[in-house]
Amino acid sequence: AQSVAQPEDQVNVAEGNPLTVKCTYSVSGNPYLFWYVQYPNRGLQFLLKYITGDNLVKGSYGFEAEFNKSQTSFHLKKPSALVSDSALYFCAVRDTGGGNKLTFGTGTQLKVEL
Amino acid sequence: KAGVTQTPRYLIKTRGQQVTLSCSPISGHRSVSWYQQTPGQGLQFLFEYFSETQRNKGNFPGRFSGRQFSNSRSEMNVSTLELGDSALYLCASRQTSASARDTQYFGPGTRLTVL
């Protein structure tokens, strides 16, 4: 069965500094990977996905993610963090068994401070 | 294009009751999935519907059920509510069921509190 791990419960970064939110995955076959963000009392907002192709994926709000097959990682990055980026971030992997089930990581709380 | 809508947004029930939650997918999307989000268990897949048929089911008891209508709108039902059913229930839609490239877009969720 597929799984994802987000090793950090919380990441703190100063506004203007680069941020990285880590994600590693375990799947059999080709991984389909996603990042979502959740603001308080809201649903999940799609940020970006990796299906195939370039290892650097660009998404919404200036976010990007780097797919690394040898390290089975899909870290989320942003060159310059904003206070408004403070939210809960989830990495997810799509079921490779033919269904559309997403398996989510436990989430990483990002806090961007002035 | 309007996003995924879920009704109601908040719901309070007591143990033993049953509840029905509703989800309207993005126009043109035919696949609807449901997820439960709790602080302890995180985000867990409940089931997926496509063309009025359940395509996939997560590891939840039979008290959790769902259906999809011909207009792709979906409902989920939880019978004999337990305290542990308190959660945010999220609905997600995608255009098709088969393409790996399709993205799931989530609604704002229904916050269910069981007293």
Side-chain angles (χ1 to χ4, degrees), chain A residues 89-111:
Chain A
Y89 290 79
F90 289 96
C91 181
V93 62
R94 181 176 176 265
D95 181 18
T96 56
N100 291 317
K101 167 188 171 182
L102 289 177
T103 298
F104 287 88
T106 51
T108 298
Q109 185 70 49
L110 174 66
K111 187 173 182 182

Side-chain angles (χ1 to χ4, degrees), chain B residues 38-60:
Chain B
T38 60
Q41 299 298 317
L43 281 153
Q44 293 186 289
F45 172 78
L46 280 156
F47 27 64
E48 182 207 0
Y49 287 87
F50 180 78
S51 294
E52 304 177 65
T53 302
Q54 190 180 90
R55 291 299 181 94
N56 205 353
K57 190 177 190 306
N59 189 24
F60 279 82

Side-chain angles (χ1 to χ4, degrees), chain B residues 25-43:
Chain B
I26 293 170
S27 178
H29 285 196
R30 298 172 60 196
S31 168
V32 173
S33 297
W34 289 88
Y35 293 80
Q36 181 197 65
Q37 184 179 20
T38 60
Q41 299 298 317
L43 281 153

Side-chain angles (χ1 to χ4, degrees), chain B residues 68-85:
Chain B
Q68 187 180 34
F69 302 95
S70 58
N71 62 357
S72 295
R73 190 178 69 86
S74 177
E75 289 181 347
M76 68 163 282
N77 184 274
V78 188
S79 62
T80 321
L81 284 166
E82 301 177 358
L83 295 178
D85 297 333

Side-chain angles (χ1 to χ4, degrees), chain B residues 2 6 11 32 34 83 89 94 113:
Chain B
Q6 293 187 244
L11 206 49
V32 173
W34 289 88
L83 295 178
Y89 290 88
R94 50 184 280 157
T113 301

Side-chain angles (χ1 to χ4, degrees), chain A residues 14-93:
Chain A
E15 188 175 50
N17 283 0
L19 69 87
T20 298
V21 182
K22 296 179 181 177
C23 172
T24 58
Y25 65 89
S26 174
V27 298
S28 55
N30 295 322
Y32 301 137
L33 298 160
F34 302 81
W35 276 102
Y36 287 86
V37 60
Q38 186 175 37
Y39 294 94
N41 300 314
R42 304 282 292 277
L44 300 178
Q45 293 181 30
F46 169 73
L47 283 177
L48 50 80
K49 65 183 177 185
Y50 173 82
I51 303 298
T52 187
D54 290 340
N55 290 340
L56 186 63
V57 179
K58 293 191 181 295
S60 306
Y61 313 118
F63 284 93
E64 57 190 28
E66 186 171 8
F67 171 70
N68 188 316
K69 188 172 183 178
S70 62
Q71 297 186 6
T72 61
S73 67
F74 189 55
H75 301 331
L76 181 70
K77 301 182 180 185
K78 187 174 183 181
S80 178
L82 299 172
V83 171
S84 58
D85 292 331
S86 299
L88 186 58
Y89 290 79
F90 289 96
C91 181
V93 62

